[in-house]
Amino acid sequence: MKLTGAEIVIKALEYEGVEVVFGYPGGAVIPLYDKLYDSSLRHVLVRHEQGAAHAADGYARATGKTGVVFATSGPGATNLVTGIATAYMDSVPLVAFTGQVVLSSIGRDSFQEADITGITLPIVKHSYLVRDVDQLAATIRAAFHLAGTGRRGPVLIDLPKDVTLAQAEFSYPPQVSFRGYRPSGDCNTSQIYKAAKAIGMSRKPVIYAGGGVVASEAAEELRELAETARIPVTTTLMGKGVFPEEHPLSLGMLGMHGTVYANYAISHCDLIIACGARFDDRVTGRLDTFAPQAKIIHIDIDPAEIGKNVRVHYPLNGDVKTILRELIPRIELPQTEEWIEQIARWKKEHPLSYRQEGEVIKPQYVIEKICELVGEEAIVTTEVGQNQMWAAQYYRVTRPRRFITSGGLGTMGYGLPAAVGAQIGCPDALVINISGDGSFQMNLQELATIVQCRLPVKIAILNNGYLGMVRQWQELFHNKRYSQTELIPVPDFVKLAEAYGIAGFRARRPEDVVPVLERGLAHPGPVLMDFVVDREENVYPMVPPGESITKMVGG
């Protein structure tokens, strides 16, 4: 059966089980959109290509499936770059299709031409420029395989317009393989025995869990390890939800804005069991003072991560779930009761705290009330900055894929389009985007997408009129010289919501917070809730940049 390149793309997506595509049309991809018109695929029309990439990313994180995005050539493709980089840093499976000028025009500075495969080279697992329609089906099969296996990530397929119009015999490969590509890792049994023995001999172990636990669906095994061996668990921002944060063994998040007791525990432990985490600088602080007494077991699907930032004593390269299943039966139980008692004392002496008093709303209070009212089934997306860190500290998560945020790249403007994707992927879930007023203004055009798609997304803006986190650093480290961080005037967000046909509510006083939340959450459609909060509230505790994680301000 002969099909055009555009028809091959649609057919291949159907073979891959794709149900929804996020995108924005343009001249170079008109043939693709023409064939999409008659297909069974759902297309979500965003208002900016960056929003499309973040929405596909949010869809992937919420569902565990691979997100798919379409964009046209030139500016359409380059507008995807931030979203692709965001997915790459957080290991999110994504396949991006970009249009390209016709083959004969490539390299001639043609209208809306951009070398998108070159531009994205450092931020994709792989990229393809398809020059021959006969290779298109195999390329798409390979792209989905790469995106969804091993350390997951984005793959880009650039499609010259004439390739989408050319015809080829359609045959979809049942499987693909690449020489030297071992997506499951190469951990051997002797390494697992050594790690199990180290756990049994430890007295002060800590499990340090990251987003790799989410990707490998290993939350159940992680919990079994923690409860069986009585080992406390701290998570990265990307790992929130892999271990219930109400659990007595939970330490919450560690690092720059982590809990005091998590940072103390990691600094005084004798063994770290790192599961799908990469020891990034926001976690370790000063590397030469990080966990000075600890041996390190590092389980990771990506061998390049093992030993990259810290010295690893027991490298276990492979899928977290698979390795934990082999490791747990071999562990001799360590004696950890004294250690757990010590941690309990640290928890009692150094809890997360703030004071809600006076006439001004504290942002932490809003987060706590959201957490109390929405329950553990809700999916929370966040923007980036103070709102993100308060959400990480005060919104307790009990399940994976329920806290969606840009961790590695820290992309402002991520949360709203990610909420679109999460709501599309989980239509029955309550999806709430926690935002700052600065981040919200970066991609607020996606309010139109929410309305067009009839998505009941709830938006909570912590409105302080500042780029809050930058202002906090200027306050603490630059003598309150607030250079270009005040965002006055702040738009009337309630009127803005109403302009898009979305219900809007505002809280200015602490006693307004719960009624506004109750009214907003009960509303059947999309809602924007504007919380006018303390303008100069800071996120504490905080490890100053470049310091040891035991040197916390406000802890």
Side-chain angles (χ1 to χ4, degrees), residues 416-482:
L416 184 63
V420 169
Q423 190 75 82
I424 293 285
C426 305
D428 297 328
L430 172 61
V431 176
I432 181 164
N433 173 232
I434 295 175
S435 179
D437 53 293
S439 284
F440 181 73
Q441 291 182 74
M442 283 199 168
N443 268 323
L444 61 82
Q445 77 282 348
E446 300 310 331
L447 290 174
T449 307
I450 288 171
V451 174
Q452 184 173 18
C453 295
R454 301 185 180 188
L455 304 176
V457 171
K458 316 300 181 191
I459 302 157
I461 300 176
L462 305 177
N463 179 357
N464 59 13
Y466 274 117
L467 291 174
M469 189 60 87
V470 185
R471 184 210 59 75
Q472 178 172 333
W473 283 43
Q474 289 174 336
E475 175 190 331
L476 298 177
F477 311 121
H478 296 275
N479 299 317
K480 293 192 174 183
R481 289 157 55 86
Y482 296 162

Side-chain angles (χ1 to χ4, degrees), residues 142-170:
F144 274 86
H145 179 68
L146 284 171
T149 57
R151 180 173 181 167
R152 292 159 176 77
V155 177
L156 184 136
I157 301 175
D158 201 24
L159 296 169
K161 188 171 183 177
D162 45 348
V163 171
T164 63
L165 293 169
Q167 288 192 329
E169 198 71 34
F170 179 72

Side-chain angles (χ1 to χ4, degrees), residues 193-207:
Y193 272 110
K194 290 176 183 175
K197 186 176 180 181
I199 293 172
M201 294 174 65
S202 68
R203 294 295 177 267
K204 296 188 287 186
V206 171
I207 295 171

Side-chain angles (χ1 to χ4, degrees), residues 275-292:
C275 301
R278 57 190 177 86
F279 295 93
D280 75 279
D281 59 301
R282 287 296 172 102
V283 162
T284 62
R286 259 182 61 183
L287 273 173
D288 61 335
T289 63
F290 178 74

Side-chain angles (χ1 to χ4, degrees), residues 236-316:
T236 66
L237 182 63
M238 301 309 302
K240 266 182 78 69
V242 299
F243 190 74
E245 293 184 298
E246 302 290 353
H247 196 287
L249 290 170
S250 173
L251 299 170
M253 188 176 73
L254 80 166
M256 178 173 280
H257 292 294
T259 63
V260 172
Y261 39 92
N263 285 351
Y264 278 2
I266 208 82
S267 298
H268 291 81
C269 70
D270 64 2
L271 181 71
I272 295 173
I273 307 165
C275 301
R278 57 190 177 86
F279 295 93
D280 75 279
D281 59 301
R282 287 296 172 102
V283 162
T284 62
R286 259 182 61 183
L287 273 173
D288 61 335
T289 63
F290 178 74
Q293 305 158 34
K295 301 286 186 183
I296 295 177
I297 297 170
H298 193 173
I299 306 170
D300 205 291
I301 192 77
D302 184 354
E305 286 297 336
I306 299 176
K308 186 175 79 175
N309 293 326
V310 297
R311 182 189 175 199
V312 172
H313 304 81
Y314 306 99
L316 301 178

Side-chain angles (χ1 to χ4, degrees), residues 520-536:
L521 294 171
H523 186 79
V527 171
L528 185 151
M529 296 168 283
D530 181 24
F531 297 94
V532 181
V533 300
D534 188 342
R535 296 200 68 202
E536 298 194 27

